[in-house]
Amino acid sequence: MRRWHRAFEGQAPRAHAAFLVSLGIGADEIAAIRAWSSEPDPQTPD
């Protein structure tokens, strides 16, 4: 699931945010999901 969120956030951040809102997730949780989704994947080398 984390990989999916990372990919979605990386490719379409506005759509990712809209999707999270459509699920009825609160603003604080959306901010948290988007924050860790924007971080580099520790399992993927640079």
Side-chain angles (χ1 to χ4, degrees):
M1 181 173 65
R2 284 188 178 253
R3 279 184 278 171
W4 183 86
H5 280 286
R6 286 181 202 279
F8 200 171
E9 183 69 23
Q11 294 173 9
R14 294 176 84 190
H16 184 223
F19 170 72
L20 296 172
V21 168
S22 77
L23 295 177
I25 297 173
D28 290 343
E29 189 173 357
I30 289 173
I33 291 169
R34 293 191 72 206
W36 61 250
S37 294
S38 298
E39 295 172 356
D41 187 347
Q43 296 180 9
T44 304
D46 288 337

